[in-house]
Amino acid sequence: MENNQLDYEQAVSLALKGEDAGFNYLYENTYKEKYYIAIKYMKDDQKAQDVLQDAYIRAFHKLDTLQNASAFPGWFGQIVANTAKNALAKKNPILFSEMNNGNVPDENWEYLAEDEDLTYQPESAYTEKETQEMVHELLESLSDEQRLCMLMFHIEDQSIKEIAEAFNCSENTVKSRLNYGRKKLKNKAEELEKKGYKLYSFAPLPLLLYLLRAEEASFIASPTIASATLFNKITEQIKMEKGVKEVVKEGAKQSFLHTAAGKIAVTVAGIVITGSIAAGTIVYHNFNTNNNDQTGAAETVEAADQESSEEQVQEWVALTDGDYTNMISGNLTKEQLECMLAYGPLNMTDGYIDDDTISQSLFDMINQVGVDNPFSYIENPNVVNGDAVFSTSELDRIYSVFKDNAFTNTFSGKYITVEGDVTYCAATTSVHKYTSDITNALYLGDEMVINYDVSLDKTPVESMQTPKIEKYTKTAYLEKQPSGLYQIKNIVDGTQNPQQENTQQTGETSGWQQLYAQQLETVKAGESDFRATLPEWEQKSQIKYDYVLCDLNGDTIPELIVNTVVEGMGTCQFFTVSDDGASVLSVACPDTIYCGAASSGGSRGYLAIPASGGGLYACSFSSLDPTIYVTKYVLTDGTLVKTQESTMQRETDNYNAFSNNNQTVEWTDSENLENLQGVR
């Protein structure tokens, strides 16, 4: 029977019998749509291919559990989403983990607003480039959990119940992710409109769905999608796993992808199949041989299994100063990399950096004052008509640490013009002096982790204004490229311990991380009760939840501070882990601590981490009064004990010294759980 004459029920039936026609039909009729959605899940083409390959293998292995064969596309869509979630969890081990407790209370809200017509089409169509840009901008505003839930619900047409089942969480948690995602889209759409994007009176959610469907249609119609290559990888993997593990052990009758007895020939040359075959060179020809041959092969596989079960301990290796040139993209020295980290982005996700960020980086670097630049041609550029002139290839080299071929003729960043082999950047007197210091760098296989401190001096050099210095502690995650050099893919807050993260990735996530993730959900779930305590005129205000981790008692396990923000001003709640590590305890505080700036003006408040370590400073003042009131809080026996510090006057030497020595707390949106992987 030809593939085009089959339907899903017939194809599943054939596949269960091990006939290639069934597998071919299931693959050919789903791979384009699922490849597209996998790219949206992962935000990376290669990772999407890996997810899709693993998803097909899982689906074909579990095909006998599918109750309704005609529902294969939706069922497979759940597997793709779950596989993507598991892949993302390798970088964020507690992804979706706060959902597993199932304690999210019932919420009787409706997800979709009645005035959002999801079938609406704009009068004017977007170009392909505009579509891609806007899809990227809108999806980038969502957390991983929000993105996965919204794509499954709206593009994959999965019900809330089906999404909850796929991610092993409650339905109310899925609703929460969908609602918070809508809010993020609304804020991003307003931001895009201010940048000049035309939204054609779209509501944000219908806009994203229209753009996604338009992009998907273009993607599916593209002739460049590789079908055979991916399918061959899938069938090879299944043959190796099922053929070697089951056919050899149990006989050819259990073959998963067979054509005729004796035709399968599997060659494994130096390949590691996770959990199945250890590294080595094993060749099996003609599985339908005599019993003695099968027994010998089975013994070989069992020996390989035993070898693979022995844990291989791999150690992270520290970089020496001389290693950087041979290991970092662009062959940068340590000093040059520190310069790029200082002037590069403060945060980075999945290797994305836009032209404006690159432009601002180069502009600040060439116009810096009082800092020796390790790139001589940047420190002393050739200036023509007020523009610094550079070799495009040389700029591409140094910025390859962030992005390949960053400077093209279509480069759109401000300050910079690219004209083939020559790039021009505006030259002026900068107010920025940035430095960074790498505290440690470790690598293991294809991964590298670099911890560093950044100091940003934004004080105008030509004025007598008080110093304005910002200090940050950051971690850069790098991945090895085909060239063998490492390129930055992610930059996050805090100092990260890669050995600790490896433990978390094997399922041994630190207990306090899980507990705090759940506590954040508990705080947000109590929003309706919190609203009831607000004045009537504020009860309809949007509520935002931020958090930070600070060690307030010096026991190396941080405390969780949650800031519930209404109309710009937030109130802080403090939480700590019980002595037995089994639960989260609310910390008693003698005062109501406010953080933020009231939108109506007046009150201001912020937190700072003492340079001496231990405790926390709460600073409050009024926009009309230069006096700053400082209180220090230290956690003792489950209670914050306060000490009133001396007051300060803004724009004085005392205030400047305090600001420079004690780092201001940086809040993280509660939808982003990355900072639960490391302590500030």
Side-chain angles (χ1 to χ4, degrees), residues 335-352:
E335 185 181 17
Q336 290 172 338
L337 177 59
E338 286 177 329
C339 179
M340 299 305 292
L341 291 171
Y343 285 92
L346 284 175
N347 294 284
M348 190 171 176
T349 303
D350 292 335
Y352 176 73

Side-chain angles (χ1 to χ4, degrees), residues 37-277:
I37 202 69
I39 292 174
K40 297 299 109 176
Y41 287 150
M42 301 304 298
K43 300 191 295 185
D44 181 277
D45 185 75
Q46 185 56 54
K47 292 176 182 177
Q49 290 186 36
D50 294 340
V51 162
L52 197 61
Q53 178 178 330
D54 291 346
Y56 273 113
I57 292 170
R58 289 177 61 193
F60 289 166
H61 277 315
K62 297 168 58 178
L63 200 56
D64 58 348
T65 67
L66 177 60
Q67 296 180 353
N68 180 7
S70 62
F72 178 84
W75 175 76
F76 179 57
Q78 287 181 293
I79 294 176
V80 173
N82 190 266
T83 306
K85 185 262 290 185
N86 292 338
L88 291 168
K90 292 179 181 178
K91 285 292 185 184
N92 181 6
I94 56 176
L95 186 74
F96 278 98
S97 63
E98 75 277 12
M99 297 181 174
N100 292 336
N101 62 351
N103 291 327
V104 180
D106 185 32
E107 301 172 23
N108 294 318
W109 54 28
E110 286 295 329
Y111 169 57
L112 292 176
E114 294 179 358
D115 60 346
E116 291 197 352
D117 180 3
L118 302 186
T119 63
Y120 176 72
Q121 302 289 309
E123 296 177 2
S124 301
Y126 294 98
T127 65
E128 184 173 348
K129 181 180 179 181
E130 289 173 332
T131 298
Q132 291 174 349
E133 288 178 353
M134 294 183 71
V135 166
H136 175 82
E137 291 281 354
L138 291 168
L139 288 182
E140 195 67 24
S141 70
L142 304 175
S143 68
D144 287 338
E145 295 99 327
Q146 293 164 355
R147 187 176 69 257
L148 288 169
C149 286
M150 296 197 79
L151 289 170
M152 285 188 74
F153 186 79
H154 291 292
I155 301 301
E156 291 289 271
D157 292 324
Q158 299 281 342
S159 68
I160 288 176
K161 180 180 179 180
E162 289 169 332
I163 299 172
E165 290 174 352
F167 295 144
N168 190 27
C169 66
S170 72
E171 293 182 31
N172 282 321
T173 304
V174 175
K175 292 180 184 178
S176 174
R177 286 292 178 270
L178 292 170
N179 273 282
Y180 278 110
R182 263 181 80 215
K183 292 176 183 178
K184 288 283 188 69
L185 289 177
K186 180 179 179 182
N187 293 338
K188 190 63 180 181
E190 291 173 353
E191 180 184 321
L192 291 175
E193 203 160 26
K194 291 177 182 178
K195 289 183 177 180
Y197 285 88
K198 296 178 181 179
L199 305 188
Y200 300 111
S201 301
F202 258 91
L205 180 57
L207 171 64
L208 175 60
L209 299 183
Y210 167 78
L211 293 170
L212 283 169
R213 286 164 182 150
E215 186 182 56
E216 182 183 32
S218 175
F219 180 88
I220 291 173
S222 171
T224 60
I225 300 177
S227 170
T229 302
L230 183 58
F231 187 64
N232 288 339
K233 289 181 180 179
I234 295 167
T235 55
E236 278 291 317
Q237 183 80 357
I238 292 175
K239 285 177 181 178
M240 283 188 286
E241 291 186 358
K242 284 287 187 177
V244 175
K245 294 282 286 183
E246 294 185 9
V247 178
V248 173
K249 287 184 177 180
E250 302 175 16
K253 63 180 181 179
Q254 297 297 326
S255 176
F256 189 68
L257 272 181
H258 69 279
T259 52
K263 285 189 176 181
I264 298 178
V266 180
T267 301
V268 183
I271 297 175
V272 175
I273 303 176
T274 304
S276 301
I277 302 175

